[in-house]
C-alpha cells in the first residue's frame, strides 16, 4: 500500500487544464483511481457526462491513457468490447501473450444507476476483466441537476422541485453497490473522495482482481449540491461521518465496513451546508427531516447487518 | 478462378461461414429472429475451436454494437449480426460506429418493424438505418449474401474508406431457405480478405489516442461529418474494384447495379433483394413474347449509385420502382425517391411509378409482378397515365 508521498510522486493520468468546475469531485475520483493502477498500462472508457465532456474538448484531451467515449448508456459495454479485443488479439497472436493492460470505465450516477444499468449489469455478469467506476454526485449534473435514481431522498433537483405540493425527491436512493455485489463479482466497494487511503486501497484491489470490479465513489458536485468549491472534501467527509455514505467492500461475497463510524453525526451536519437541502430546514418540514434521518439509519443498519454476517 | 465446393445451405449459414473465414477477433452477439442462426452457427465454430474469436454474448443489441465499437476502436476485426427491432435498438450506435470511422461488418436479416409486431421480411429496418453513414449491400440470394460479406470486410478496412458496412439479406427468404451456392476454400478467402492493420488502436498503449472526443465547441463537428461524406462517396470506387477482384477469384459477376435485358428495354422494374428473382422470371417470360422488359437490381444501396442507375434507365420509357418499405408521408417509398432523384438530371426521363409491396412478409406472387409490367406497358404505350403510389397485393 503506497504512502501519500509515494502516490503524490506518481504521474497523474488525468492532466490538469481540463474544463471541469472548480471543486469538482469527479476529477479527484478519477485521479485517485488511476493512481492506484501503479505502473500498469491502462485503457480508459467514459460514459457521456461532465467528466467526459470537460476532459476531451477536441482537439485537446486530458487523458494520458488511451481513451474512448462512446455514448451515455454504454461505457461498460464499450470497455467490454475493448477488453474482448485484447483477448481476441492475444488469441490470434497479434498481441504478445504476456502483455498486461488494465481496463477502466468511468460513468456518473445517471450513466450508471439509470440509463447504463443494463449495460453495466451485462458486463459484470459476463465477467470482463475491468474496473467500473461510478462517480456518484447524486443527479444528472451535466444536463443541469435533474434527479437520478442516486439522488438522495428529500434533495432538490430541477426535476424534483420544491414547492407547495412537493419537497424535493420523494423516493429513496437506489442502492447500486448492493445490486452489483449481488452479481457475485469478485470485488465491489463504496468509497469517498474524502478518504483517499480507503479509496486508493479499494481501487488497487479492484485493479488486481481477475474479472469485473465495481467502485461507487461519492464525489461532490458544487454546482448541484449548492456548495462552495472549497467544501468539496469536507462535505464528502461529513457524508461518511453521518453514515449517509457507509464505506464498505464486498470481496468474494464477504462484506466488510472499511471505515468504522462509532459515533455517527446527525444527518443535519451533512445536509445543512448544501443548498439542495435548504427546504428541509424550514420548520414545517421538521417531519421530513426526521424521515431523511430515518432513511439514513435504515441504510446504515442494513449495511452493518450485511457486514456482520 | 479458384475451385469451389457446391453446397445446399441457407443464407444465414453462409454468412456464418463467411464470418469464420474472415477470422474476426471479436464477435459480439445477441439473438434476434431471423438473424439468430448466424450467431448460433458462429457459436459452434467458437466451441469447436475453429476460430480464435472472442465471442461476447451481450445482453442487448445496443450493447452488441457498443461492444463492437469498443473492440473495433481497440484495433480488432469485428463482425456481428442483427435484424429489425435489434437494428433499431442499435440506432445511436450505428451513427457512432460510422462517426468514429470503424470498419465493423454487420449482417442484417431484413425484417419488418413493429407495431404490429411481425417477424417476416421487408426493408423497413434497413431503410431506417440508411442515413447512419454505413455502407449497405443487399443480397438476392444466399450466394450473394456470402460474397457480399467477404467483399464488405475488404471495403470497410480499406484505408480510403474506414467505414462500417452492413450486408443485408431478406429475412426467412434468404436467411432460412435452402439455396444452392458455391463455397470458397478457407485459404483463398484468407488471401482475398487479408489481414487488418489498424491505426490509432486503443490497445497500442505506448501511443495513447482519444476516440469519441467532444467536438461541440469550435465547430469541428461539421468538418468531421464532411470527412465522413467524402469517405462514403469515395467508397463507391473501392466497392467496384473489390467487386472486380472477387469476380476474378469467384467467377461470379458483380456490380453495384445489375441489369437484365436493360440494353434495349422499354419498360423496366427497379428492385432490391430477393424479389429480383421473381421479377427476372416474369421479364424473361415477357421477352419470350416480344415485350422489351428489363430488370435493374440494386446491390449496393449506400453509397447510392446515382450515376450507374441514371445510365441504366435513361433510355427506358416507363420505370416501376418496387419498395419493400414505407416512408410515411413522403412522395413514395425510399427507393423510389432516390431513383427518381437519380433521373432528374437526365435530358430524357422515363415515366415513373412506385409500388409498395410485401410489407411484413406479404406474398410477392408472380401475377403481381406481371401486373406491374402490364401497367408499365400501358404507360409506355400511351394508354395510361402514371398513377400515384400503389400498394401492391393488399387485400
Amino acid at each position: 500500500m503506497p504512502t501519500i508521498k509515494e502516490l503524490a510522486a506518481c504521474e497523474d493520468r488525468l492532466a490538469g487544464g481540463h474544463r471541469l468546475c472548480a471543486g469538482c469531485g469527479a476529477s479527484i475520483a478519477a485521479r485517485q483511481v488511476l493512481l492506484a493502477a501503479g505502473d500498469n498500462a491502462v485503457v480508459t472508457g467514459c460514459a457521456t457526462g461532465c467528466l467526459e465532456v470537460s476532459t476531451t474538448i477536441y482537439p485537446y484531451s486530458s487523458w494520458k491513457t488511451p481513451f474512448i467515449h462512446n455514448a451515455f448508456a454504454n461505457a461498460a459495454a464499450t470497455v467490454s468490447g475493448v477488453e474482448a479485443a485484447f483477448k481476441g488479439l492475444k488469441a490470434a497472436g497479434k498481441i504478445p501473450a504476456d502483455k498486461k493492460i488494465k481496463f477502466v470505465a468511468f460513468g456518473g450516477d445517471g450513466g450508471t444507476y439509470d440509463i447504463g444499468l443494463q449495460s453495466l449489469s451485462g458486463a459484470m455478469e459476463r465477467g470482463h476483466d475491468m474496473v467500473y467506476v461510478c462517480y456518484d454526485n447524486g443527479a444528472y449534473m451535466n444536463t443541469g441537476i435533474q434527479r437520478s435514481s442516486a439522488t438522495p431522498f428529500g434533495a432538490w433537483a430541477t426535476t424534483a422541485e420544491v414547492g407547495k405540493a412537493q419537497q424535493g425527491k420523494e423516493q429513496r436512493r437506489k442502492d447500486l453497490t448492493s445490486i452489483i455485489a449481488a452479481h457475485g463479482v469478485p470485488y465491489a466497494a463504496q468509497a469517498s473522495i474524502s478518504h483517499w487511503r480507503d479509496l486508493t486501497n479499494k481501487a488497487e484491489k479492484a485493479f488486481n482482481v481477475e474479472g469485473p470490479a465495481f467502485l461507487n465513489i461519492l464525489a461532490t458536485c458544487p454546482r448541484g449540491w449548492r456548495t462552495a468549491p472549497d467544501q468539496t472534501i469536507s462535505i464528502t467527509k461529513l457524508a461518511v461521518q453521518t453514515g449517509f455514505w457507509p464505506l464498505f467492500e464486498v470481496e468474494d461475497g464477504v462484506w466488510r465496513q472499511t471505515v468504522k463510524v462509532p459515533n455517527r453525526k446527525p444527518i443535519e451536519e451533512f445536509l445543512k451546508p448544501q443548498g439542495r437541502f435548504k427546504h428541509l430546514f424550514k420548520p414545517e418540514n421538521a417531519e421530513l427531516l426526521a424521515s431523511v434521518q430515518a432513511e439514513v439509519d435504515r441504510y446504515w443498519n442494513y449495511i452493518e447487518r450485511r457486514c456482520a454476517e | 478462378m479458384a475451385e469451389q465446393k457446391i453446397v445446399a445451405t441457407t443464407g444465414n449459414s453462409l454468412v456464418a461461414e463467411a464470418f469464420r473465414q474472415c477470422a474476426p477477433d471479436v464477435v459480439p452477439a445477441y439473438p434476434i429472429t431471423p438473424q439468430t442462426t448466424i450467431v448460433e452457427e458462429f457459436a459452434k465454430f467458437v466451441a469447436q475451436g475453429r476460430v480464435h474469436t472472442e465471442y461476447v454474448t451481450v445482453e442487448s443489441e445496443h450493447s452488441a454494437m457498443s461492444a463492437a465499437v469498443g473492440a473495433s476502436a481497440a484495433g480488432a476485426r469485428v463482425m456481428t449480426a442483427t435484424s429489425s427491432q435489434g437494428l433499431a435498438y442499435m440506432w445511436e450506435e450505428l451513427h457512432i460506429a460510422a462517426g468514429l470511422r470503424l470498419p465493423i461488418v454487420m449482417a442484417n436479416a431484413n425484417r419488418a418493424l413493429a407495431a404490429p409486431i411481425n417477424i417476416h421480411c421487408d426493408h423497413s429496418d434497413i431503410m431506417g438505418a440508411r442515413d447512419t453513414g454505413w455502407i449497405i449491400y443487399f443480397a438476392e440470394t444466399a450466394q450473394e449474401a456470402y460474397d457480399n460479406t467477404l467483399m464488405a470486410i475488404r471495403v470497410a478496412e480499406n484505408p480510403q474508406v474506414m467505414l462500417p458496412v452492413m450486408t443485408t439479406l431478406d429475412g426467412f427468404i434468404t436467411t432460412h431457405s435452402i439455396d444452392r451456392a458455391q463455397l470458397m476454400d478457407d485459404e483463398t478467402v484468407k488471401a482475398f480478405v487479408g489481414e487488418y492493420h489498424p491505426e490509432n488502436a486503443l490497445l497500442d498503449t505506448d501511443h495513447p489516442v482519444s476516440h469519441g472526443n467532444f467536438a461541440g465547441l469550435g465547430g469541428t463537428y461539421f468538418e468531421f461529418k464532411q470527412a465522413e461524406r467524402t469517405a462514403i462517396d469515395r467508397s463507391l470506387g473501392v466497392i467496384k474494384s473489390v467487386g472486380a477482384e472477387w469476380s476474378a477469384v469467384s467467377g461470379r459477376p458483380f456490380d453495384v447495379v445489375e441489369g437484365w435485358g436493360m440494353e434495349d428495354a422499354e419498360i423496366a422494374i427497379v428492385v432490391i433483394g430477393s424479389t429480383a428473382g421473381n421479377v427476372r422470371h416474369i421479364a424473361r417470360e415477357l421477352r419470350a413474347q416480344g415485350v422489351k422488359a428489363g430488370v435493374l437490381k440494386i446491390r449496393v444501396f449506400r453509397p447510392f449509385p446515382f450515376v450507374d442507375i441514371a445510365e441504366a434507365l435513361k433510355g427506358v420509357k416507363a420505370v416501376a420502382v418496387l419498395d419493400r418499405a414505407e416512408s410515411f408521408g413522403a412522395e413514395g417509398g425510399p427507393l423510389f425517391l432516390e431513383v427518381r432523384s437519380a433521373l432528374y438530371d437526365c435530358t430524357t426521363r422515363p415515366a415513373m411509378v412506385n409500388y409498395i409491396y410485401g410489407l411484413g412478409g406479404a406474398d410477392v406472387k408472380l401475377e403481381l409482378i406481371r401486373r406491374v409490367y402490364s401497367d408499365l406497358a400501358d404507360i409506355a404505350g400511351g394508354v395510361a397515365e402514371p398513377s400515384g403510389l400503389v400498394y401492391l397485393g393488399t387485400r
Side-chain angles (χ1 to χ4, degrees):
Chain A
M1 188 174 69
T3 64
I4 197 161
K5 264 191 176 172
E6 285 161 354
L7 282 180
C10 293
E11 190 200 22
D12 261 335
R13 277 160 160 166
L14 181 69
H18 54 68
R19 269 84 149 208
L20 284 159
C21 299
C24 173
S27 58
I28 300 171
R31 279 192 289 114
Q32 289 188 6
V33 168
L34 290 171
L35 282 177
D39 295 333
N40 291 297
V42 178
V43 174
T44 308
C46 220
T48 310
C50 291
L51 182 63
E52 165 267 324
V53 165
S54 304
T55 57
T56 70
I57 298 173
Y58 186 82
Y60 307 106
S61 173
S62 302
W63 297 90
K64 294 186 176 180
T65 67
F67 173 90
I68 182 165
H69 160 248
N70 184 347
F72 196 10
N74 58 4
T78 306
V79 176
S80 295
V82 178
E83 189 260 2
F86 186 54
K87 283 188 190 147
L89 289 166
K90 268 190 177 175
K94 296 175 197 168
I95 284 182
D98 60 347
K99 178 152 174 140
K100 288 201 166 31
I101 302 180
K102 303 289 181 189
F103 299 94
V104 60
F106 290 99
D109 49 285
T112 306
Y113 284 67
D114 292 346
I115 196 171
L117 182 61
Q118 173 187 299
S119 146
L120 173 61
S121 173
M124 296 289 113
E125 182 269 333
R126 288 189 302 273
H128 295 278
D129 190 13
M130 63 186 276
V131 180
Y132 189 98
V133 180
C134 173
Y135 62 96
D136 183 342
N137 50 33
Y140 288 83
M141 299 307 185
N142 193 42
T143 39
I145 325 167
Q146 294 80 25
R147 64 87 93 181
S148 79
S149 59
T151 303
F153 172 66
W156 160 85
T158 57
T159 53
E161 272 290 357
V162 174
K164 217 167 26 177
Q166 190 185 336
Q167 297 297 311
K169 193 187 173 193
E170 294 176 325
Q171 303 81 14
R172 64 166 62 142
R173 189 180 68 83
K174 188 192 279 181
D175 177 14
L176 184 63
T177 314
S178 297
I179 293 169
I180 300 304
H183 284 65
V185 297
Y187 192 77
Q190 203 154 283
S192 165
I193 54 170
S194 55
H195 291 62
W196 66 267
R197 183 179 285 283
D198 181 69
L199 192 157
T200 52
N201 278 346
K202 285 171 177 167
E204 203 177 337
K205 280 187 184 182
F207 279 120
N208 286 339
V209 295
E210 288 258 337
F214 175 76
L215 298 173
N216 198 0
I217 303 174
L218 188 70
T220 324
C221 171
R223 285 285 303 126
W225 291 16
R226 300 297 197 229
T227 49
D230 63 359
Q231 284 179 300
T232 291
I233 298 300
S234 61
I235 199 79
T236 42
K237 196 174 278 175
L238 283 168
V240 175
Q241 290 167 342
T242 56
F244 169 79
W245 193 256
L247 299 179
F248 64 95
E249 64 184 9
V250 186
E251 207 172 356
D252 293 323
V254 180
W255 290 60
R256 193 173 74 87
Q257 272 189 300
T258 56
V259 172
K260 306 266 188 226
V261 188
N263 302 302
R264 279 194 291 135
K265 293 182 174 175
I267 192 64
E268 279 91 335
E269 293 196 27
F270 173 61
L271 307 181
K272 197 101 199 218
Q274 301 183 53
R276 63 175 172 158
F277 294 113
K278 190 172 62 184
H279 55 286
L280 296 179
F281 293 92
K282 287 182 190 158
E284 64 269 31
N285 280 339
E287 216 171 291
L288 190 58
L289 193 58
S291 309
V292 173
Q293 181 67 61
E295 171 56 21
V296 169
D297 293 345
R298 185 199 63 80
Y299 184 60
W300 177 267
N301 292 335
Y302 162 74
I303 294 298
E304 274 206 322
R305 237 180 9 253
R306 295 297 312 249
C307 293
E309 275 165 13
Chain B
M1 206 179 94
E3 212 167 297
Q4 294 164 78
K5 193 166 79 179
I6 294 172
V7 292
T9 190
T10 66
N12 274 1
S13 225
L14 280 169
V15 169
E17 196 68 20
F19 276 23
R20 183 187 61 73
Q21 292 182 317
C22 290
D25 305 302
V26 177
V27 168
Y30 192 75
I32 181 164
T33 303
Q35 168 275 120
T36 313
T37 54
I38 296 176
V39 295
E40 283 175 347
E41 294 211 20
F42 198 81
K44 277 187 200 141
F45 297 143
V46 173
Q48 291 160 352
R50 295 179 69 194
V51 281
H52 69 256
T53 307
E54 192 60 26
Y55 186 66
V56 189
T57 46
V58 284
E59 82 294 340
S60 74
E61 287 94 348
H62 191 279
S63 283
M65 191 44 64
S66 302
V69 164
S72 186
R77 177 176 280 175
V78 184
M79 303 176 94
T80 186
T82 193
S83 181
S84 182
Q85 305 295 128
L87 183 68
Y89 195 26
M90 284 180 180
W91 196 77
E92 70 163 347
E93 287 301 305
L94 298 177
H95 280 271
I96 289 168
L100 291 179
R101 306 289 299 276
L102 300 173
I104 298 161
V105 168
M106 176 163 72
N108 187 68
N110 302 323
R111 175 189 141 183
L113 284 175
I117 192 166
N118 181 300
I119 59 166
H120 299 289
C121 176
D122 70 32
H123 300 156
S124 308
D125 54 354
I126 186 65
M127 287 304 165
R130 70 188 187 273
D131 293 334
T132 57
W134 286 59
I135 290 164
I136 300 171
Y137 283 82
F138 273 85
E140 177 189 339
T141 59
Q143 181 74 69
E144 286 187 6
Y146 173 73
D147 291 348
N148 289 352
T149 309
L150 300 178
M151 290 187 283
I153 198 86
R154 279 282 306 276
V155 171
E157 291 173 2
N158 185 298
Q160 294 296 303
V161 179
M162 291 302 284
L163 283 173
V165 181
M166 231 181 287
T167 60
T168 77
L169 55 166
D170 283 352
F172 289 110
I173 301 162
T174 317
T175 59
H176 282 63
S177 306
I178 306 276
D179 203 351
R180 176 195 186 278
Q182 291 180 299
L183 185 66
M184 193 67 73
D185 66 274
D186 290 359
E187 283 312 305
T188 308
V189 172
K190 195 177 167 189
F192 175 76
V193 298
E195 276 193 20
Y196 173 46
H197 299 286
E199 284 181 33
N200 305 319
L202 285 171
L203 295 177
D204 181 4
T205 48
D206 295 330
H207 304 96
V209 288
S210 283
H211 289 254
N213 287 30
F214 181 65
L217 300 175
T220 46
Y221 176 85
F222 201 8
E223 282 74 25
F224 276 112
K225 292 295 135 184
Q226 187 181 28
E228 216 176 310
R229 151 65 80 167
T230 307
I232 199 162
D233 285 349
R234 198 162 47 204
S235 75
L236 193 62
V238 177
I239 289 166
K240 287 180 178 181
S241 72
V242 168
E245 234 184 279
W246 181 243
S247 277
V249 175
S250 67
R252 289 182 287 278
F254 169 85
D255 207 345
V256 292
V257 293
E258 294 176 352
W260 186 93
M262 288 304 297
E263 301 74 27
D264 62 342
E266 289 179 354
I267 56 175
I269 290 179
V270 179
V271 64
I272 47 179
S274 58
T275 310
N278 282 9
V279 177
R280 212 180 296 107
H281 178 81
I282 299 299
R284 204 175 281 128
E285 206 178 84
L286 292 171
R287 279 277 169 180
Q289 296 160 19
V291 180
K292 287 186 174 174
V295 184
L296 190 67
K297 178 176 82 178
I298 297 178
R299 229 172 128 168
V300 172
F301 187 78
R302 279 290 182 271
F304 196 72
F306 284 94
V307 175
D308 301 82
I309 287 167
E311 187 59 34
L313 294 175
K314 66 179 180 194
V316 181
K317 288 182 181 165
V319 171
V321 178
L322 302 190
D323 263 295
R324 204 162 189 166
E326 252 294 10
S327 181
F328 299 105
E331 190 66 28
L335 183 60
F336 176 73
L337 299 176
E338 307 237 14
V339 173
R340 192 148 76 162
S341 169
L343 289 165
Y344 185 81
D345 291 329
C346 297
T347 39
T348 57
R349 291 194 291 262
M352 289 191 71
V353 215
N354 186 201
Y355 295 83
I356 306 273
Y357 77 101
L359 298 187
D363 269 351
V364 190
K365 292 178 179 158
L366 293 176
E367 66 237 40
L368 294 177
I369 308 295
R370 232 177 252 125
R371 187 190 135 193
V372 173
Y373 273 120
S374 148
D375 289 353
L376 286 176
D378 288 348
I379 294 166
V383 184
E385 286 288 309
S387 57
L389 179 71
V390 178
Y391 256 56
L392 193 62
T394 41
R395 283 186 291 256

